[in-house]
Amino acid sequence: MASTEASSLIITALGGALGALILRSSIKLLGALLARRTPIAIYECACPERLALGDLHHSWGHEVTDSSAKSGKAWEYNLQFIYRPGEQVTGEHTIFGPYINDFGKPGFYRVSYRICGRGFPKTEEPVISLDIVQARFGTDQVLRLLGQRVIRAKELSGEYQDFDIVCHAPGTGVYEYRCAVIPKGVALDKRTIRFDRISVFSHPSIWEAL
């Protein structure tokens, strides 16, 4: 009888421990999933050209009204170069910036670029290059590429889509989220490229939560 009671107590204790472990893992998993869906920061690509810290900057294109864009406006690429006296800009990137730190600590992050491309054939032609870079010492002179993605013509559906880059960031320094159209001589009389917004998310590992 005593042996049976002891066994029952052990089973109950193990069940309780297992239940607590499952509950803890479930809470951590829910937190990781929520973090993946809740943006740390959102940058509108058609933001005012103030050249302020925390704004996206532009080298090519112009702002357009677009009801399909989240803010009702988008940045449309064209061959009009935006020249700013005294500013050293290579013109390689249509959109770049914001030169701030959205991360704050080491970890995995996801940067989502919402883009619309119309009039493109279903080919392997590279159209847009996206990248994330870190300026480790708070300048744009020492850059470290954290992640990159090339969007091909066949990926552009004619509607706004989210194109993601997942990267590991050390959490120090300042960062840029950049968009470059390839090539700049794209046939714009038949094709349209619009940038809506760039959203930044934490991307914790699901396995670590289990």
Side-chain angles (χ1 to χ4, degrees), residues 71-135:
S71 67
K73 297 180 179 180
W75 189 263
E76 183 175 286
Y77 170 80
N78 64 19
L79 296 178
Q80 176 183 343
F81 179 68
I82 301 171
Y83 174 72
R84 305 180 190 90
E87 187 177 20
Q88 295 182 350
V89 175
T90 63
E92 179 183 356
H93 296 94
T94 301
I95 294 173
F96 57 100
Y99 302 113
I100 61 175
N101 188 338
D102 289 317
F103 307 137
K105 62 180 181 180
F108 283 95
Y109 297 88
R110 173 171 60 92
V111 180
S112 183
Y113 302 75
R114 192 167 189 263
I115 301 170
C116 175
R118 300 190 180 104
F120 287 89
K122 298 300 180 182
T123 67
E124 296 288 339
E125 173 193 3
V127 178
I128 304 167
S129 174
L130 309 175
D131 60 46
I132 306 166
V133 297
Q134 175 203 23

Side-chain angles (χ1 to χ4, degrees), residues 139-192:
T139 73
D140 59 357
Q141 302 300 313
V142 181
L143 300 179
R144 176 185 176 192
L145 181 65
L146 301 181
Q148 188 173 55
R149 175 173 180 176
V150 174
I151 302 174
R152 301 188 180 276
K154 67 179 184 180
E155 298 180 79
L156 297 167
S157 67
E159 304 293 334
Y160 277 103
Q161 302 163 255
D162 292 321
F163 296 93
D164 296 342
I165 300 176
V166 175
C167 70
H168 185 275
T172 57
V174 297
Y175 297 84
E176 272 193 272
Y177 318 121
R178 309 190 300 189
C179 311
V181 175
I182 312 169
K184 294 184 176 63
V186 66
L188 294 178
D189 55 330
K190 299 179 181 179
R191 303 175 179 182
T192 301

Side-chain angles (χ1 to χ4, degrees), residues 38-43 102-103 110-112 177 198-202:
T38 305
I40 298 171
I42 296 176
Y43 300 95
D102 289 317
F103 307 137
R110 173 171 60 92
V111 180
S112 183
Y177 318 121
I198 299 173
S199 303
V200 184
F201 301 82
S202 179

